[in-house]
């Protein structure tokens, strides 16, 4: 999708309804336990925020950013995700968290990004985080410079996300389930599943509804 067409499309985002759980369920295995809002609140999850950043690249085509997290001793080691991280006490709000973490992880200046839409919160049971995603736009290709938390920058064509050909399933063993078929996206030869796939599903449904 050309970037000008994308900008025209998202000019209607304010009036668009979020897919929420309906979008998320498309990328959740049927074996996974669903948590009610009441149960999530009882678990007192930590807060975090991520940024889905869209920008123009080759031939003015629209791309968005994913990252491959570095290998470390933690729940989300070596996983594909959006840039982002934990809410800190000095953050004025979760939107700032998403922007700050994106700057720290991949070097995109905060003033380069225009936030266009807050998406539905996503609960991540293994790490007990409630994550708030934001859609943002940069008007030019950012100069990425990743830190030690990021193994690799992954730049994906928006048209690939919008194509149903990139949706598949893969048999995986996770921290809470073994040998299950998990819905996922196949993007740039990477398998994207879990919370990031749920967020991407909502973005896809949202853009297709405009």
């Amino acid at each position: 999708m050309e970037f000008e067409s994308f900008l025209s499309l998202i000019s209607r985002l304010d009036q668009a309804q979020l897919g929420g759980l309906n979008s998320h369920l498309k990328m959740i295995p049927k074996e996974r336990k669903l948590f009610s809002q009441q149960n999530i609140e009882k678990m007192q999850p930590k807060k975090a925020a991520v940024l889905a950043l869209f920008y123009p690249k080759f031939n003015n085509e629209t791309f968005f950013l994913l990252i491959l997290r570095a290998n470390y001793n933690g729940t989300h080691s070596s996983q594909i995700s959006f840039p982002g991280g934990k809410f800190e006490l000095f953050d004025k709000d979760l939107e700032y968290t998403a922007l700050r973490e994106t700057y720290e992880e991949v070097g995109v200046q905060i003033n380069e990004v225009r936030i266009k839409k807050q998406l539905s919160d996503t609960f991540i049971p293994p790490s007990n985080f409630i994550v708030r995603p934001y859609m943002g736009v940069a008007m030019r290709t950012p100069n990425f410079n990743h830190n030690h938390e990021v193994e690799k920058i992954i730049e994906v064509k928006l048209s690939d996300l919008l194509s149903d050909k990139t949706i598949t399933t893969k048999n995986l063993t996770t921290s809470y389930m073994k040998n299950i078929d998990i819905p996922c996206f196949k993007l740039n030869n990477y398998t994207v599943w879990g919370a990031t796939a749920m967020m991407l599903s909502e973005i896809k449904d949202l853009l297709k509804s405009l």
Side-chain angles (χ1 to χ4, degrees):
M1 179 183 290
E2 288 190 353
F3 193 62
E4 286 75 13
S5 299
F6 173 71
L7 292 177
S8 176
L9 190 68
I10 64 171
S11 66
R12 305 194 293 274
L13 273 179
D14 286 345
Q15 290 76 40
Q17 295 294 315
L18 294 174
L21 183 60
N22 288 334
S23 293
H24 290 174
L25 284 173
K26 297 177 182 180
M27 306 308 291
I28 296 176
K30 60 182 181 296
E31 295 89 349
R32 175 174 164 174
K33 177 183 176 182
L34 295 179
F35 294 83
S36 69
Q37 186 62 37
Q38 185 178 19
N39 285 338
I40 292 173
E41 290 173 359
K42 285 181 180 178
M43 296 172 73
Q44 298 182 315
K46 297 161 286 188
K47 294 180 180 179
V50 298
L51 179 66
L53 180 63
F54 297 83
Y55 53 91
K57 198 169 170 64
F58 306 118
N59 297 320
N60 211 34
E61 188 166 1
T62 306
F63 280 69
F64 66 92
L65 176 67
L66 294 173
I67 59 172
L68 172 62
R69 294 213 166 271
N71 186 14
Y72 68 100
N73 185 23
T75 305
H76 304 296
S77 171
S78 300
Q79 289 187 2
I80 307 296
S81 70
F82 292 112
K86 183 181 177 182
F87 174 80
E88 302 290 354
L89 292 178
F90 55 77
D91 291 337
K92 59 182 179 181
D93 52 31
L94 283 166
E95 180 179 312
Y96 181 79
T97 302
L99 293 168
R100 174 185 58 76
E101 285 280 349
T102 298
Y103 169 67
E104 292 175 3
E105 291 184 340
V106 297
V108 179
Q109 298 289 333
I110 290 175
N111 61 9
E112 288 185 66
V113 181
R114 302 178 188 176
I115 297 296
K116 294 295 184 179
K117 188 77 171 179
Q118 175 185 312
L119 302 175
S120 301
D121 289 353
T122 304
F123 179 54
I124 305 179
S127 54
N128 195 32
F129 267 100
I130 189 82
V131 181
R132 180 163 296 170
Y134 292 88
M135 287 180 67
V137 172
M139 299 306 291
R140 61 180 181 85
T141 307
N143 293 317
F144 297 118
N145 180 26
H146 64 81
N147 70 1
H148 65 282
E149 299 176 68
V150 178
E151 178 69 25
K152 189 174 182 180
I153 297 288
I154 303 170
E155 299 182 82
V156 184
K157 291 180 181 179
L158 175 58
S159 58
D160 288 345
L161 173 64
L162 297 179
S163 170
D164 290 337
K165 293 180 180 179
T166 56
I167 295 178
T168 185
T169 59
K170 186 169 184 177
N171 189 270
L172 294 171
T173 293
T174 73
S175 58
Y176 54 94
M177 290 182 289
K178 292 184 177 180
N179 296 319
I180 58 165
D181 291 328
I182 296 179
C184 54
F185 289 97
K186 197 73 172 180
L187 300 168
N188 292 27
N189 290 320
Y190 290 97
T191 300
V192 185
W193 59 280
T196 303
M198 292 160 63
M199 297 171 196
L200 284 170
S201 181
E202 182 168 59
I203 291 170
K204 178 177 180 177
D205 288 349
L206 185 61
L207 292 177
K208 287 205 163 189
S209 73
L210 297 175

